Amino acid sequence: MYSKKVMKYFRHPRNMGEIKNADGIGKVGNPQCGDVLEVYIKVGKNKKGKEILKDIKVKTFGCIAALATSSVITEMVKGKTLNEALKISNMDIAKELGGLPPIKMHCSVLSAEGLRKAIEDYYKSKKKMN
Amino acid sequence: MKRIYLDHGATTPVDPLVVKAMLPYFTKKFGNASSIHSFGLEAKEALEEAREKIAKKIKALPEEVIFTSGGSEADNMALRGIAFAHKRKGNHIITSSIEHPAVLETCRELEREGFKVSYLGVNREGFIDLSDLEQKISEDTILVSVMHANNEIGTIQDIKEIGRICEEKNVLFHSDAVQSFTKAPINVRKINVDALSFSAHKIHGPKGVGAMYLSEGTPFNKLVFGGHHEFDKRAGTENVPAIVGFAKAVELAKEKYVKQMAGLRDYLIKEIEGRIPDSKLNGPKGNKRLCSNANFSFAFIEGEALLNYLNFDGIAVSTGSACSSQSLEPSHVLKAIGLPHEIIHGSCRMTLGRENTRKELNFTVKSLEKNVKKLREISPLRKGVKYNKEEFGHKH
Ligand code: FES
């Protein structure tokens, strides 16, 4: 049912956990449906002065697909600019994992959404500060 | 890696003695039990001997045992066969909300065909309310179908009392005894039951064979047409090797295994409760629980993930979590006992067999402890934190 890569990420999920003093937090999902995601980001700047994702961590309550997608997305976006990160779609995540069973596609939507919310949260708190 | 099998509620390994008993009926004694030459007679003899053995186990008459392709067919046959034969008397059927899909789906189909079905709710331990049953029986009621032991949470219903109520109200009573057969005593002479369903592969027999008990003289419309096999109640050449294996499995199911499993079950429950915080046993404790069943919910984690982490350690269990099923619908049984969805998602069913050992259970508890902890560490759910739909705005 699941690709080898999905199982690899499920078995050894990367970047799981929280970031203390995160710059942005994205919470998505619904425990009733069986999946909840918290995405924590730390924002930095690259050489060109653009904002990048310096660090990212997730906490996931969910199935194999939820764990694997939320784990792989952290690797996909680390070091990327915020704009680049926002462009990552759930299809990209599924592709990166060698595909997902159709019934589990919504779990990948969640990861992309979680990241988007975390970045939005960052922008919001930045506005407040200015 | 040594593998540990704790999913006997799904199926059991076939006992080598069962295989041995079956073998001659494939190649040497292969006759059709309906043929009247020596090959056929040999098969017929084996068939009737098997029927007697199974009948004896429940104190029934041999002609009250009808072989089927398994438990699901027996459930379908009993419900439909009785319902249609009694249609003139009424069209109301009563069942419980925690039945096996073989009963529930048959009931839904009967509803589409004009019958009315009432689904009895259950309490937190999975028991139906007997006074509720009594109240729901009306003039129109023709059949009550309540399972003996629940396959997910092991609740053993008081079928003696249910039978008594049915007798008093003059309605027929069917019970799905697939999980309980040989694990909880059934004596059809002592309980007023008209039909029962059994399956061989849950008791170390082969897959694809089961039986329906139908009390003598009960009006019944058959489901499978063709020849006049099985007292004209189910057509089709009997699967003699499987039936012989079924009977052998029944013969090998000893009382001592029930005690042994119950001991292991209690040990497992005690260990998990003692060592894993925020774990909750689903279903009752003690002798009202199937000897082989332990079902836990572990808060804050998801069952498919847990099942697979256990599988990496070589341990086979099952879960009622929606995420592992094709439909993404969580267990209807755990819903019926009132568990919230997020708790249902963290459910894990362990079902014992007679070859399991305490050592295996110790290893399992250790693995559970480790993996529950691991999943909790990466889970955003935790005590006291409430998540609500509005906040998350996510649709499944
Ligand atoms: S979390 Fe339920 S299907 Fe993915």
Side-chain angles (χ1 to χ4, degrees):
Chain A
M1 177 171 168
Y2 290 114
S3 73
K4 273 215 177 96
K5 206 160 172 197
V6 169
M7 288 312 274
K8 199 177 104 193
Y9 275 89
F10 164 66
R11 195 164 187 165
H12 303 290
R14 329 274 158 89
N15 303 315
M16 301 302 273
E18 284 174 48
I19 299 177
K20 293 250 153 62
N21 308 319
D23 294 327
I25 301 174
K27 293 183 183 181
V28 283
N30 180 345
Q32 288 236 320
C33 305
D35 39 26
V36 176
L37 221 73
E38 286 178 2
V39 181
Y40 298 81
I41 55 168
K42 202 86 192 145
V43 177
K45 281 200 172 128
N46 67 7
K47 282 186 199 132
K48 288 181 191 154
K50 281 207 171 130
E51 287 184 318
I52 57 158
L53 287 168
K54 211 169 77 192
D55 197 9
I56 171 166
K57 282 210 158 95
V58 285
K59 281 200 136 188
T60 311
F61 164 76
C63 67
I64 294 181
L67 280 162
T69 51
S70 57
S71 168
V72 82
I73 197 177
T74 61
E75 292 195 333
M76 288 168 76
V77 300
K78 219 185 223 178
K80 287 224 160 76
T81 65
L82 298 188
N83 273 339
E84 283 168 337
L86 281 171
K87 278 193 197 114
I88 292 202
S89 75
N90 74 306
M91 290 309 234
D92 299 327
I93 304 170
K95 216 167 118 202
E96 181 75 22
L97 284 168
L100 280 174
I103 201 167
K104 298 283 187 169
M105 276 309 282
H106 71 274
C107 309
S108 64
V109 176
L110 216 61
S111 303
E113 243 188 53
L115 175 65
R116 191 176 51 77
K117 279 210 170 178
I119 296 175
E120 275 172 10
D121 182 51
Y122 162 70
Y123 282 137
K124 253 190 241 155
S125 45
K126 205 170 123 181
K127 243 193 213 154
K128 260 188 228 150
M129 274 163 56
N130 290 339
Chain B
M1 180 173 61
K2 195 179 170 298
R3 294 195 300 167
I4 298 173
Y5 187 73
L6 291 176
D7 200 15
H8 292 84
T11 195
T12 53
V14 180
D15 191 302
L17 291 172
V18 169
V19 177
K20 200 172 156 220
M22 289 170 72
L23 280 177
Y25 293 92
F26 286 108
T27 48
K28 289 198 192 81
K29 307 181 183 184
F30 58 85
N32 184 324
S34 297
S35 303
I36 48 177
H37 44 60
S38 66
F39 292 86
L41 293 178
E42 230 169 22
K44 175 93 182 152
E45 210 176 292
L47 176 67
E48 294 317 323
E49 209 181 290
R51 199 188 303 280
E52 264 168 44
K53 276 183 196 161
I54 292 166
K56 211 175 113 197
K57 189 81 185 171
I58 53 169
K59 306 280 185 297
L61 302 169
E63 52 274 31
E64 292 177 315
V65 173
I66 291 121
F67 289 111
T68 67
S69 68
S72 288
E73 191 191 315
D75 282 336
N76 275 255
M77 233 166 89
L79 263 61
R80 296 184 67 84
I82 290 173
F84 282 101
H86 292 79
K87 215 176 171 182
R88 274 221 209 113
K89 196 188 152 226
N91 73 338
H92 182 227
I93 297 164
I94 301 174
T95 188
S96 88
S97 52
I98 62 165
E99 296 296 309
H100 188 273
V103 166
L104 287 178
E105 288 305 313
T106 304
C107 284
R108 298 221 167 92
E109 185 56 29
L110 286 166
E111 282 183 284
R112 284 188 279 270
E113 290 167 314
F115 288 90
K116 274 197 227 113
V117 182
S118 302
Y119 300 87
L120 300 171
V122 293
N123 68 11
R124 294 200 151 265
E125 290 188 325
F127 292 104
I128 63 159
D129 179 345
L130 294 169
S131 59
D132 184 24
L133 167 67
E134 217 165 339
Q135 272 167 22
K136 286 217 164 69
I137 298 178
S138 69
E139 286 281 289
D140 267 347
T141 310
I142 46 176
L143 174 67
V144 169
S145 177
V146 174
M147 70 200 324
H148 190 196
N150 183 267
N151 49 313
E152 290 191 38
I153 57 172
T155 310
I156 300 178
Q157 305 288 347
D158 187 351
I159 53 170
K160 195 167 178 195
E161 208 32 41
I162 298 171
R164 194 195 58 74
I165 293 169
C166 291
E167 186 170 30
E168 208 178 274
K169 303 263 183 182
N170 197 23
V171 297
L172 295 175
F173 173 35
H174 161 256
S175 184
D176 173 349
V178 166
Q179 288 292 333
S180 62
F181 189 36
T182 73
K183 295 190 199 95
I186 301 175
N187 178 339
V188 298
R189 299 287 158 239
K190 287 206 178 133
I191 45 168
N192 172 59
V193 68
D194 301 282
L196 291 162
S197 309
F198 305 110
S199 177
H201 77 104
K202 310 283 190 192
I203 57 165
H204 302 273
K207 292 172 185 63
V209 64
M212 174 185 72
Y213 156 80
L214 185 70
S215 68
E216 214 187 4
T218 306
F220 181 81
N221 282 14
K222 68 175 165 181
L223 219 70
V224 184
F225 294 86
H228 300 286
H229 311 82
E230 298 297 299
F231 315 107
D232 215 12
K233 293 199 171 67
R234 183 205 189 252
T237 300
E238 289 91 351
N239 184 353
V240 176
I243 290 169
V244 167
F246 185 10
K248 186 72 193 174
V250 170
E251 205 178 270
L252 293 173
K254 300 268 159 54
E255 176 65 27
K256 66 172 190 214
Y257 296 128
V258 174
K259 286 208 186 92
Q260 179 189 316
M261 281 189 273
L264 286 176
R265 171 201 66 190
D266 293 341
Y267 177 71
L268 180 64
I269 292 173
K270 195 186 93 224
E271 285 296 295
I272 292 175
E273 282 182 334
R275 291 169 67 162
I276 305 181
D278 299 304
S279 55
K280 179 192 175 301
L281 178 73
N282 299 313
K285 272 191 182 171
N287 57 8
K288 286 190 173 164
R289 183 180 195 103
L290 198 62
C291 60
S292 52
N293 176 296
N295 184 319
F296 274 92
S297 288
F298 300 104
F300 320 124
I301 65 164
E302 196 281 320
E304 188 199 37
L306 178 64
L307 181 150
N308 278 276
Y309 278 145
L310 291 172
N311 192 41
F312 293 145
D313 286 345
I315 301 160
V317 300
S318 74
T319 173
S321 169
C323 302
S324 67
S325 68
Q326 290 302 318
S327 67
L328 297 184
E329 259 305 302
S331 153
H332 67 286
V333 176
L334 299 179
K335 256 203 278 192
I337 60 170
L339 294 189
H341 283 236
E342 59 268 38
I343 297 294
I344 297 178
H345 279 293
S347 73
C348 176
R349 180 187 77 163
M350 291 151 278
T351 38
L352 302 161
R354 53 198 191 217
E355 66 288 341
N356 287 128
T357 61
R358 201 176 251 244
K359 208 172 142 205
E360 286 181 329
L361 298 188
N362 286 335
F363 182 79
T364 302
V365 176
K366 258 196 212 133
S367 168
L368 267 174
E369 227 182 331
K370 174 185 83 185
N371 290 309
V372 167
K373 194 165 161 249
K374 177 171 170 177
L375 282 166
R376 280 181 181 164
E377 267 162 16
I378 59 176
S379 169
L381 302 187
R382 51 207 164 248
K383 252 190 201 146
V385 178
K386 285 248 181 300
Y387 289 85
N388 63 48
K389 264 190 197 144
E390 290 74 55
E391 186 185 344
F392 290 96
H394 160 72
K395 280 179 251 55
H396 219 165

